[in-house]
Amino acid sequence: MDSPEPPDALLTMLGVGKSFYGVPVLSDVDIDVHPGEVHAVVGENGAGKSTLMKIASGVHQPDTGTLTIAGRPATLPDPRAAQAAGVGIIHQEFNLLPERTVAENVFLGREPTRRGLVDRRAMRARTAELLAAVGAEVVRPHDRVRDLGIAQQQVVEIVKALSLDARILIMDEPTAALADHEVELLYALVRRLQARGIGILYVSHRLAEVFDLSDRITVLKDGRRVTTVDTADATPEGLVRHMVGRELATYYPPKAAGAGPTVVSVAGGGNARLKPLDLELRAGEVLGVGGLQGSGRSALARALFGVEGFTTGRMTLDGKAVRPRSPRQAVRAGIAYVTEDRKGEGLTLSQSVLDNALLASRAATPRWFPDKARTTTVRELLAAVEVHAAGADQEVRYLSGGNQQKVVLARWLAMGPRVLLFDEPTRGIDVGAKAAIHELIRDLAEKGAAILMISSELPELLGMSDRIVVMRDGALAGELPGDASEEAVLSLATGTPHEVSA
Amino acid sequence: GNPAATASADAGAGTGETSSFFVQADYDNEIALRTATASGPADKPWEQALNPTNVDTAKYKKAGPYNLCFSNAGVGNPWRQVGFKNMQAEVKLHPEFKSFQVADAESKDDKQISDINDLLGKGCDALIVSPNTTATLTPAVEQACAKVPVIVFDRGVNTKCPVTFINPIGGYAFGAAGAEFLTEKVKPGGNVLALRILPGVDVLETRWAAAKVAFDKSQLKVVGVEFTDGDAAKTKTIVSNYLQRFGTIDGIWMDAGATAVAAAEAFEDAGKPFPAIVGEDQQDFLRMWQDRKLTAVAPTYPTYQWRTPVIAALKILKGEQVPSPWKLPQPTITDANLSQYVDPSMPPLHYAMCGCSDLPGYPGEWGGK
Amino acid sequence: MTRTDAPTGPATLGQSRRGRWGAGSIWPVVAILLVLLVAVGIRQPDFYDPPALLAFLKRAAPLIVLAAGQYFVIVAGDFDLSVGSLVTAEVVIAARLIDGDPAATWPVIAVVLAFGLLVGLVNGLVTTLLLVPSFITTLGMYLILVGAVYTWTGGSPRGALSEEFRMFGRRGIEGVPWLGEIPYAVLILLVLGTLAILAMRADFGKVLLAVGDNPRAARLAGGRVAGVRTIAFVISGGCAAVAAILLGGFGGVSFQVGVGLEFTAITAVVLGGVVLGGGRGSVVGAMLGALTLQTLLTLLNLLGVAGALASAVQGLIILAAVAIGGLRART
Amino acid sequence: MTALAATRRTPRIDSTNGVWVALGITLIVGGILVATDGGSLFGQNSTVSLLQRAAGLGIVAVGQTFTILAGSLDLSVAYVISLTSLIAAETMAGSDGRVLPAILAVLAVSGAIGLVNGLLITKLRINAFIATLGVGLLIKGYLEQGYAGPAGQVPVSFQHLGYDRIGPIPVSFLLFIGVAAVAWVVLKRSRFGHHLIATGGDLDVARLSGVRTDWVLIRTHMICSLCAGIAGLYLASRLGAGAPRVGAEGGYDLESIAAVVLGGAVLAGGKGGVAGTVGGVLLLAVIDGIFNQLAVDPFFKQVVRGVVIVAAVAIYALRLRRKAVAA
Ligand SMILES: Nc1ncnc2c1ncn2[C@@H]1O[C@H](COP(=O)(O)OP(=O)(O)OP(=O)(O)O)[C@@H](O)[C@H]1O
Ligand SMILES: Nc1ncnc2c1ncn2[C@@H]1O[C@H](COP(=O)(O)OP(=O)(O)OP(=O)(O)O)[C@@H](O)[C@H]1O
Ligand SMILES: [Mg+2]
Ligand SMILES: [Mg+2]
């Protein structure tokens, strides 16, 4: 870029509208991004952010409106055309082939060739360079993606987008899967790209990030653009008001006054992924679980839920010895598990909202004749958690992430569980829905449930937990009180010594 | 007055075009053979020959015991099953054979070609081939001829190199027998339904071709020619549909009898009188014929022909003359001789014209009691 | 984007349009069936006489039963390629065991049903416990059954079915006013069809759909994924056994009776709007798909489409029908 | 970490090379069995027959490898084989000069059928199972309508392909190996191969990464049909004529799928390869050969074949699971 402040936008979208099956998702949205600019897009779940990004990257075609790239009108019939036009995108969902190597994934669709054949050496070398450029030499070009952790996979996604040499880079919630310290790495990367004159569209639910990184912010609500402001002039409160249309309490619900009796206790519980550990979940209490990516937090929840159960030690529920060998046994014993991978493990996407919400009741306690009362209860629960859908018989795949999460919640609430295991319950969920879920979790605790909540977001972990355990390398690294500091959690998680100021 | 019947008249479900398989000379030849007298032992039709011309086999003469080989197209239907049992039993009758090696091609042409090659490596003294399809096995058989005396039976090959080719009169004779029976028994103008197993199989095509000649000359109305895949349920469905459409069907012609019982049952189920019907020599049909007093005929393609190649092989290895080609008689079962062939102790799909009752292991090996 | 205010309010027009015609919907097959029925009616008006119609249903019953069984397997995300050979095996077994002895009828019917369920169970267990894709499991079972039954009978069916056994596929309650004869096959079809619909309405059916849609989610919601899939195979095996009883009764003993039925049944199910891969479609659709296929065959027969061309026409119509369903799902 | 990066992985025994292990064991066990029976599995004639039988199925299976890797499948191959054998033999009509036009005609027709398959699957969104089944039915109808048995004639010069051999190795087997080698290069080393495996691994990921998945699938089906066409040519040369039932009776549709899966490919796509398929084809051929030598009843052979296919895939699946648990 020759001039530091070129007059022309890299990408301009004007009057963009899009409907799915007759339901408008975007209407009349204008947005542009300039060279070297980070333009953040925020909004509630289902506001249409991802849809807008997909239009800009050729995945969807707009029903109305125009796209201009570098001053020239553009039509992007497919992702390939968008790549050719210089638009790269990191999708909200992972877009990797687990069975292929990192290099093959990075250059998928654009493999370099020599004499008609794929030049694998060049491909690997180039991938290694790109990985080095983002400071992720840990990942090797010939690693199979299947063998990588989630954060590392996210790195591959980023490298894949970078390999395009795109002038416009779209990042749709790139940090959703990252822990706080990994986010820092991403920040540095974004700044470097910015300095190279690349225009970035940045979608995130984490307002702190938005304020740290962006130059301008566009707020979407119900598929319309509410406002576009310079970040310098914006305040978090103002932004939230635009997003949800009302004021929101920014603090977490009050914590438990005191813990009830022990509901679940684990002594020496371990398996292939977990070193033997002791743990107690008490009625009325939220036990937060902190730790880095791959530290074994999910493995703990999965062991408690019998997915890959404990192979050693003892586990009791309400004083009775249990050892769930399958999720089914756990569910019937009164345990519920909200998984971190909503689409892969939580939902049956082609089924209706109602069927998804009824799934656990039906699966765990099947009946031969339709149970009207149960259906009514679940309908009420769906309303109570405020699922926004076209109807209870809408297919769940067409709901936004936040609403999908609420459907999963309703499913478990219908079971009246004694123990709830939440794995990243608010990942990828907008502020409004997040607050609602926090309220719900606290509410459940108050009603006497024992809750375990895994979160990679430190403010959430600290704000919600009555007690915190931190995991490291598949073992419990320590326990902290609910009002511990971020540093205390991090030092336990990373294993660096730190003065605990309780 | 039946509207469906008038509607069907314009459908013109006649006998259709002549099959590309129809060869006038072969047809004439077979029709002539039907009245020829056979030479050979009267009670052993498998040793008889029609209009034989013998060939000299002295050059194949060698001392026993012999290693006999057989490349079989497959045993995928009851006819071949019964035939193969016949052949195995026939081999047992002759101590001159020290071994009998069989390769089964599972109805695959290319496997049979390999099988022949394979067998040639096993030191055969004579090779019997029952080709899966005519024409395609010619090169393999020619290769084999160069090494051992070859005897082909059932279907032919397009080469003269085998020492002899054994088969009954053939498809034209079979098809004509049934069709002529119908032209006799069904009143002029009556409806005839032709049921065929599959298109594209030469032995079956010639049967239909000959029947077509007979029907075209007759006053009968062929209301439909349908393929049944040899499936009883499908046959019944088709016949029921026709019964519904035309009200009456007076005659049923078949190119193979496997589904004759099902076709007759369709009349029974619809509450209609049985038509004049052409079947084959399978026990289930013969029994039904006897029990229900059907107006029926059963042309046969006798399974006893499976005995003949073994006999021929022995003669050749002993240097005795054999007829070439070896045309076997092809009897037809009629009301007059029906009782001779019905045997309640044999399985329903057993072929009565097997000539096997004198063979070792009968009836157990053939599934009888 | 418009949101209805009531979170669980009635479906909007836009949504329900997709639901009515898209993948998994029964309406396309209903439309095709109606067209075919009208065409048959024009060609042959007395097709609609109650006795003729019942006779038609009787002939269609085995395929409908098979399609219903296949539906359970397909909707759970699997295939059952073994049903055709299972039907053959069952008929041949029944004939050999009964051997014309009427007294053996009922015990043999029990054996036939038990064998069908057992084959389904083996298919299910191999698929779910040994993690063999069902396409392969049932392809293997297909080879095994064909081979075993031929080996057992020495290559040609033996024995004979009793009239009592054949009654179910062949006869009916006679002398019913106006209807004439009510075939037992139609009654059996009605009972099984109702049971299938009830099963799909029950929790079992909903969980089955969920398993076909996302087995991991179904498992994590407390579902017995392996169990449910296995039951689907058992149902399919049982349906094949019933179809064998009907077909054996209708047509008698032969090795041809089941040939190709697996493909016909799968085609019927897909024609009924059920999506291969699981999670979408209804058992009513599957059964209607089978009825549609049977109607199509009847129509081709009535139109005098030459036997050899029938398979081509059939292929063309299936492609067209499925393509229409697929295209509708897209818009 | 840099030290770790330098370590090389030891080659793994997994589903794609497991078939070669199985093949080795089968050869040893089979060889002993046949020897005790007084025959020889490795004699000239039996080896030739074995390789010969492998060739036809092998060429089709290589094509089928493409479709299965791409997450599709082709049930029409059997009829394509019959059709192309007829086209070849009828075009040649016994004359040497018409061999080349015949080959071109076969390739054109089979390619066109593949194109139709591909278009039905991608543009009309018909499931591959149904689409190729339907196309198969269409061709079947045409064959049954138009042919009453073998037709056409192949000149003697063209029969060299079906009958000649170099030492114990039939020319047709070399053709199979040649086709497999080309396929291997295409799958491993070409951009198309990368795109194909990506499409089979995850269609959406491939599409979002800029792969033209429709075009990939269309080409995949064309390749599969072309392979079936080549097999048709080979069969025409072997049979000396075109045969309208040779494909269906040979069971090339399901057997080719079985061979590919025996080779360790995952039916859902994205995993597997030509090397495995070659192993799968050889394994089936060797089992066949052993049974042939032992003159085992063909029906019982069928049973064993079914058991072998299921058992092999079960072993692969269990290994995969054990690996997942161990990780
Ligand atoms: N392919 C699709 N078909 C039908 N509806 C869709 C499709 N994709 C998105 N939608 C609908 O469009 C709306 C906007 O979805 P989008 O994914 O753009 O939201 P978002 O703002 O990215 O939400 P989130 O923050 O949860 O990711 C949602 O209501 C969703 O249900
Ligand atoms: N299904 C699985 N198969 C193989 N490895 C797995 C699986 N699940 C987790 N792992 C690995 O096991 C280790 C522990 O993972 P776990 O998911 O329990 O960690 P976590 O702390 O919850 O991290 P995350 O936030 O990524 O879920 C990680 O290295 C992870 O990559
Ligand atoms: Mg989004
Ligand atoms: Mg986790």
Side-chain angles (χ1 to χ4, degrees):
Chain A
M1 288 299 143
D2 297 36
S3 78
E5 193 65 73
D8 284 334
L10 278 173
L11 167 76
T12 315
M13 298 171 83
L14 278 180
V16 169
K18 174 82 186 169
S19 337
F20 288 112
Y21 307 110
V23 182
V25 170
L26 288 175
S27 21
D28 199 22
V29 176
D30 303 339
I31 195 167
D32 59 3
V33 60
H34 290 276
E37 180 193 39
V38 175
H39 190 155
V41 180
V42 298
E44 283 183 286
N45 291 127
K49 305 180 294 291
S50 297
T51 307
L52 186 63
M53 299 305 133
K54 285 178 180 169
I55 289 174
S57 58
V59 179
H60 291 319
Q61 275 60 58
D63 298 340
T64 63
T66 57
L67 254 85
T68 314
I69 294 178
R72 248 169 284 141
T75 48
L76 304 175
D78 54 33
R80 202 181 178 86
Q83 289 178 2
V87 182
I89 180 165
I90 299 168
H91 285 282
Q92 187 171 2
E93 275 95 29
F94 277 139
N95 249 309
L96 298 172
L97 299 166
E99 292 294 334
R100 303 292 273 172
T101 67
V102 171
E104 282 164 346
N105 267 288
V106 166
F107 282 95
L108 178 56
R110 297 167 290 104
E111 295 83 358
T113 53
R114 238 180 100 213
R115 283 193 240 111
L117 298 180
V118 171
D119 187 350
R120 297 194 293 181
R121 191 173 306 173
M123 204 159 88
R124 284 190 183 167
R126 184 95 185 85
T127 308
E129 278 170 35
L130 287 164
L131 285 166
V134 300
E137 289 93 342
V138 185
V139 180
R140 292 162 302 172
H142 59 269
D143 282 340
R144 249 185 230 240
V145 164
R146 191 183 55 192
D147 301 330
L148 301 178
I150 292 186
Q152 292 174 331
Q153 293 189 12
Q154 182 65 280
V155 168
V156 178
E157 283 278 10
I158 292 169
V159 166
K160 186 173 169 184
L162 288 181
S163 73
L164 279 172
D165 278 328
R167 285 171 301 161
I168 303 144
L169 188 58
I170 299 170
M171 301 183 157
D172 195 349
E173 304 198 27
T175 54
L178 299 187
D180 284 352
H181 67 286
E182 288 157 337
V183 172
E184 292 293 339
L185 251 161
L186 187 81
Y187 276 22
L189 184 69
V190 168
R191 301 228 186 280
R192 249 183 290 160
L193 296 174
Q194 224 179 338
R196 274 164 41 188
I198 291 171
I200 294 174
L201 278 170
Y202 193 97
V203 179
S204 180
H205 287 296
R206 299 189 181 176
L207 291 190
E209 267 168 47
V210 168
F211 278 94
D212 285 348
L213 281 176
S214 71
D215 303 303
R216 281 191 295 161
I217 305 172
T218 288
V219 182
L220 287 187
K221 178 166 171 57
D222 292 350
R224 294 177 181 281
R225 187 174 64 93
V226 181
T227 182
T228 303
V229 293
D230 282 335
T231 310
D233 306 338
T235 62
E237 294 74 26
L239 222 50
V240 169
R241 196 166 49 241
H242 280 307
M243 284 162 64
V244 295
R246 63 190 156 101
E247 298 285 347
L248 261 190
T250 48
Y251 40 83
Y252 290 88
K255 299 200 175 178
T262 299
V263 180
V264 173
S265 89
V266 176
N271 63 21
R273 290 211 179 90
L274 293 171
K275 297 181 187 125
L277 51 79
D278 301 341
L279 191 76
E280 278 197 353
L281 301 182
R282 300 184 197 130
E285 191 192 55
V286 176
L287 175 68
V289 182
L292 303 180
Q293 287 298 317
S295 56
R297 297 165 301 170
S298 297
L300 172 60
R302 294 169 90 82
L304 287 166
F305 195 59
V307 185
E308 283 121 36
F310 291 118
T311 49
T312 65
R314 271 172 54 81
M315 172 172 164
T316 62
L317 179 69
D318 284 330
K320 286 191 287 285
V322 291
R323 180 179 279 182
R325 299 211 159 276
S326 70
R328 182 182 175 78
Q329 289 176 4
V331 171
R332 289 167 77 106
I335 306 176
Y337 176 39
V338 179
T339 58
E340 61 182 330
D341 178 2
R342 212 160 30 231
K343 291 216 165 121
E345 303 198 313
L347 295 164
T348 51
L349 290 169
S350 302
Q351 312 303 313
S352 71
V353 168
L354 189 64
D355 285 335
N356 269 282
L358 276 165
L359 183 55
S361 328
R362 283 171 167 163
T365 51
R367 308 244 155 78
W368 278 110
F369 294 97
D371 184 338
K372 288 245 169 57
R374 199 167 64 182
T375 310
T376 316
T377 316
V378 167
R379 276 180 188 276
E380 284 166 9
L381 281 169
L382 284 169
V385 298
E386 295 183 15
V387 172
H388 290 283
D393 46 8
Q394 185 177 22
E395 281 183 36
V396 118
R397 73 170 68 233
Y398 302 114
L399 264 53
S400 74
N403 283 311
Q404 290 178 342
Q405 186 74 326
K406 289 178 190 169
V407 173
V408 177
L409 279 177
R411 167 195 300 169
W412 291 119
L413 295 184
M415 302 297 292
R418 298 274 297 120
V419 182
L420 281 112
L421 314 170
F422 287 97
D423 200 349
E424 312 282 6
T426 63
R427 171 178 287 175
I429 282 178
D430 70 56
V431 279
K434 207 163 176 172
I437 287 171
H438 289 154
E439 293 282 357
L440 246 154
I441 293 178
R442 186 46 75 185
D443 201 44
L444 283 166
E446 264 163 31
K447 289 190 183 133
I451 289 171
L452 177 138
M453 188 191 82
I454 298 167
S455 176
S456 295
E457 243 183 285
L458 285 180
E460 179 179 69
L461 188 68
L462 298 169
M464 285 298 297
S465 312
D466 300 312
R467 227 166 14 111
I468 298 174
V469 291
V470 180
M471 297 195 66
R472 186 172 68 233
D473 291 339
L476 276 195
E479 184 173 326
L480 296 167
D483 55 358
S485 67
E486 296 197 7
E487 292 77 30
V489 176
L490 266 181
S491 71
L492 271 179
T494 55
T496 47
H498 169 78
E499 281 302 309
V500 179
S501 50
Chain B
N2 184 342
T6 39
S8 69
D10 61 290
T15 53
E17 290 168 27
T18 302
S19 161
S20 61
F21 252 73
F22 185 77
V23 180
Q24 187 69 45
D26 294 350
Y27 173 82
D28 294 340
N29 184 28
E30 286 194 16
I31 297 301
L33 276 176
R34 287 168 69 199
T35 47
T37 41
S39 57
D43 56 338
K44 291 180 176 171
W46 51 92
E47 289 183 22
Q48 295 175 5
L50 300 168
N51 301 347
T53 28
N54 288 340
V55 291
D56 191 55
T57 64
K59 63 174 168 175
Y60 300 113
K61 181 170 179 170
K62 68 198 279 189
Y66 308 113
N67 186 2
L68 182 63
C69 295
F70 174 39
S71 165
N72 194 359
V75 280
N77 61 47
W79 186 85
R80 303 196 71 85
Q81 276 291 339
V82 172
F84 187 46
K85 296 268 156 60
N86 291 351
M87 182 182 276
Q88 285 171 311
E90 179 72 36
V91 172
K92 282 189 202 138
L93 286 180
H94 307 286
E96 295 93 328
F97 293 114
K98 65 169 185 238
S99 76
F100 181 50
Q101 304 200 46
V102 185
D104 189 300
E106 299 162 49
S107 310
K108 299 175 189 175
D109 290 332
D110 56 323
K111 180 167 191 297
Q112 189 164 20
I113 294 172
S114 303
D115 282 349
I116 291 175
N117 174 54
D118 220 353
L119 286 173
L120 289 179
K122 291 184 170 177
C124 308
D125 295 313
L127 175 68
I128 300 172
V129 179
S130 168
N132 189 47
T133 45
T134 309
T136 53
L137 281 153
T138 310
V141 169
E142 277 175 342
Q143 279 190 351
C145 286
K147 296 187 180 166
V148 290
V150 176
I151 299 142
V152 175
F153 78 100
D154 179 21
R155 291 177 197 151
V157 285
N158 290 344
T159 167
K160 291 269 170 245
C161 83
V163 181
T164 181
F165 168 50
I166 301 163
N167 73 344
I169 301 174
Y172 296 112
F174 186 106
E180 283 163 7
F181 173 79
L182 290 183
T183 51
E184 251 171 55
K185 298 288 176 185
V186 177
K187 64 184 187 306
N191 292 336
V192 171
L193 174 61
L195 295 176
R196 304 177 54 190
I197 305 272
L198 303 164
V201 178
D202 44 11
V203 278
L204 300 178
E205 288 288 342
T206 51
R207 292 180 188 181
W208 168 239
K212 181 181 141 52
V213 171
F215 288 136
D216 287 349
K217 278 192 293 202
S218 77
Q219 304 266 284
L220 302 180
K221 201 165 81 198
V222 177
V223 292
V225 184
E226 296 286 346
F227 293 104
T228 64
D229 294 338
D231 175 356
K234 192 168 173 190
T235 305
K236 250 181 135 171
T237 302
I238 289 170
V239 176
S240 307
N241 283 341
Y242 271 86
L243 274 173
Q244 207 183 348
R245 214 164 120 203
F246 292 96
T248 53
I249 299 287
D250 308 289
I252 295 271
W253 181 90
M254 300 222 178
D255 66 357
T259 57
V261 171
E265 274 181 2
F267 286 81
E268 201 174 37
D269 290 3
K272 309 263 180 181
F274 287 115
I277 186 166
V278 179
E280 215 177 329
D281 54 333
Q282 280 182 298
Q283 285 296 341
D284 58 350
F285 178 66
L286 300 183
R287 257 175 255 163
M288 184 176 196
W289 178 356
Q290 194 173 51
D291 293 350
R292 310 287 162 86
K293 311 261 178 303
L294 301 181
T295 309
V297 74
T300 67
Y301 191 60
T303 51
Y304 60 60
Q305 64 177 299
W306 289 68
R307 297 183 64 173
T308 318
V310 179
I311 297 166
L314 199 58
K315 281 180 184 262
I316 292 169
L317 290 170
K318 287 183 172 165
E320 296 168 19
Q321 289 200 333
V322 291
S324 173
W326 192 329
K327 277 282 168 196
L328 294 165
Q330 186 173 305
T332 297
I333 301 178
T334 61
D335 269 324
N337 58 5
L338 172 63
S339 55
Q340 237 175 285
Y341 294 101
V342 179
D343 183 352
S345 72
M346 294 309 283
L349 301 187
H350 178 71
Y351 283 82
M353 201 62 74
C354 69
C356 51
S357 52
D358 62 338
L359 285 172
Y362 184 88
E365 285 287 315
W366 282 256
K369 286 178 282 201
Chain C
M1 140 163 188
T2 46
R3 274 178 180 167
T4 47
D5 280 339
T8 54
T12 63
L13 196 80
Q15 169 56 25
S16 50
R17 183 148 34 105
R18 207 206 79 77
R20 210 175 294 155
W21 284 98
S25 146
I26 67 165
W27 296 111
V29 73
V30 169
I32 297 167
L33 180 59
L34 286 179
V35 170
L36 289 175
L37 284 175
V38 168
V40 171
I42 291 170
R43 195 79 183 78
Q44 176 151 16
D46 52 8
F47 179 79
Y48 289 104
D49 290 350
L53 210 53
L54 281 176
F56 169 71
L57 274 181
K58 166 171 111 177
R59 297 197 292 272
L63 185 59
I64 299 178
V65 169
L66 269 184
Q70 187 72 246
Y71 165 82
F72 284 89
V73 175
I74 287 184
V75 90
D78 291 310
F79 279 98
D80 190 349
L81 296 180
S82 69
V83 288
S85 62
L86 179 55
V87 166
T88 307
E90 295 276 33
V91 171
V92 171
I93 290 172
R96 175 129 189 216
L97 293 184
I98 292 181
D99 204 6
D101 172 14
T105 302
W106 287 103
V108 169
I109 285 180
V111 169
V112 163
L113 290 176
F115 185 71
L117 298 175
L118 178 73
V119 168
L121 184 69
V122 172
N123 278 336
L125 293 180
V126 170
T127 303
T128 57
L129 296 188
L130 299 185
L131 308 180
V132 178
S134 57
F135 192 96
I136 301 301
T137 310
T138 57
L139 177 62
M141 182 58 87
Y142 160 88
L143 295 176
I144 292 168
L145 282 175
V146 172
V149 85
Y150 272 86
T151 310
W152 185 55
T153 58
S156 147
R158 300 182 177 186
L161 298 171
S162 62
E163 264 315 302
E164 287 72 11
F165 183 93
R166 295 198 55 186
M167 162 183 96
F168 298 103
R170 207 177 160 196
R171 315 243 170 248
I173 302 173
E174 277 163 47
V176 181
W178 190 59
L179 293 177
E181 182 192 67
I182 303 180
Y184 293 123
V186 174
L187 296 178
I188 291 172
L189 174 65
L190 279 180
V191 171
L192 286 186
T194 312
L195 284 179
I197 292 170
L198 286 181
M200 285 314 292
R201 288 185 155 210
D203 290 352
F204 164 76
K206 304 289 180 186
V207 174
L208 190 71
L209 276 161
V211 165
D213 194 340
N214 184 346
R216 287 210 285 164
R219 176 167 130 86
L220 288 171
R224 259 191 290 230
V225 174
V228 167
R229 280 171 76 196
T230 305
I231 292 175
F233 279 104
V234 172
I235 292 175
S236 177
C239 284
V242 172
I245 293 174
L246 295 183
L247 279 172
F250 182 60
V253 195
S254 90
F255 270 146
Q256 295 299 316
V257 55
V259 173
L261 276 183
E262 61 283 337
F263 286 116
T264 316
I266 292 173
T267 307
V269 171
V270 174
L271 207 55
V274 181
V275 178
L276 291 180
R280 278 155 178 261
S282 69
V283 68
V284 177
M287 294 193 286
L288 287 176
L291 191 62
T292 305
L293 261 191
Q294 193 74 33
T295 314
L296 176 63
L297 290 178
T298 305
L299 182 66
L300 290 181
N301 213 209
L302 288 178
L303 292 176
V305 174
L309 263 190
S311 69
V313 174
Q314 202 184 331
L316 205 61
I317 289 180
I318 290 165
L319 285 177
V322 178
I324 291 167
L327 287 180
R328 296 225 59 126
R330 223 181 343 173
T331 43
Chain D
M1 272 304 147
T2 39
L4 198 67
T7 58
R8 285 223 142 240
R9 286 179 192 204
T10 50
R12 296 175 303 176
I13 294 186
D14 65 7
S15 56
T16 41
N17 52 28
V19 65
W20 291 96
V21 178
L23 182 61
I25 296 172
T26 312
L27 275 174
I28 294 168
V29 174
I32 293 171
L33 276 179
V34 173
T36 42
D37 194 55
S40 160
L41 184 56
F42 307 105
Q44 166 100 353
N45 282 54
S46 48
T47 310
V48 170
S49 301
L50 193 151
L51 296 180
Q52 193 77 258
R53 272 199 301 272
L57 178 64
I59 297 170
V60 188
V62 166
Q64 196 73 263
T65 311
F66 279 79
T67 56
I68 288 180
L69 267 179
S72 186
L73 95 185
D74 189 346
L75 293 176
S76 69
V77 283
Y79 298 107
V80 175
I81 290 172
S82 304
L83 179 67
T84 50
S85 77
L86 283 161
I87 291 175
E90 291 201 316
T91 312
M92 289 181 198
S95 118
D96 285 335
R98 303 183 60 168
V99 168
L100 191 64
I103 292 176
L104 293 179
V106 162
L107 296 183
V109 169
S110 55
I113 293 170
L115 179 68
V116 170
N117 280 334
L119 289 175
L120 288 173
I121 291 164
T122 55
K123 302 301 176 195
L124 295 186
R125 301 261 174 127
I126 304 178
N127 181 290
F129 187 100
I130 295 294
T132 56
L133 192 65
V135 168
L137 279 179
L138 277 173
I139 304 174
K140 176 177 178 226
Y142 170 77
L143 290 174
E144 289 185 347
Q145 181 74 3
Y147 295 93
Q153 201 202 336
V154 165
V156 177
S157 65
F158 191 65
Q159 293 194 5
H160 291 307
L161 171 62
Y163 286 89
D164 281 12
R165 52 177 204 251
I166 300 169
I169 303 187
V171 173
S172 54
F173 188 77
L174 294 177
L175 174 69
F176 159 46
I177 293 302
V179 169
V182 171
W184 188 86
V185 171
V186 168
L187 280 175
K188 285 274 179 188
R189 293 291 154 85
S190 78
R191 289 183 70 172
F192 167 67
H194 279 69
H195 295 181
L196 185 152
I197 292 169
T199 303
D202 191 327
L203 191 91
D204 285 331
V205 168
R207 200 167 48 83
L208 292 178
S209 305
V211 173
R212 288 202 196 87
T213 50
D214 281 4
W215 181 219
V216 168
L217 277 169
I218 291 171
R219 277 188 287 172
T220 300
H221 275 276
M222 288 176 72
I223 290 176
C224 181
S225 272
L226 280 172
C227 285
I230 296 174
L233 279 172
Y234 155 66
L235 284 173
S237 123
R238 186 107 173 112
L239 306 180
R245 330 183 67 85
V246 65
E249 279 177 352
Y252 285 99
D253 35 15
L254 293 182
E255 277 202 31
S256 64
I257 294 174
V260 175
V261 173
L262 264 184
V266 173
L267 261 190
K271 199 164 177 296
V274 174
T277 298
V278 172
V281 168
L282 288 180
L283 182 59
L284 283 178
V286 166
I287 292 174
D288 243 36
I290 293 170
F291 287 161
N292 241 29
Q293 295 302 312
L294 299 177
V296 169
D297 177 288
F299 306 129
F300 181 69
K301 195 151 109 187
Q302 188 103 317
V303 175
V304 175
R305 218 183 279 161
V307 172
V308 165
I309 292 170
V310 174
V313 178
I315 290 168
Y316 300 156
L318 289 181
R319 287 189 73 101
L320 268 181
R321 184 163 70 168
R322 223 174 302 145
K323 206 160 65 182
V325 171

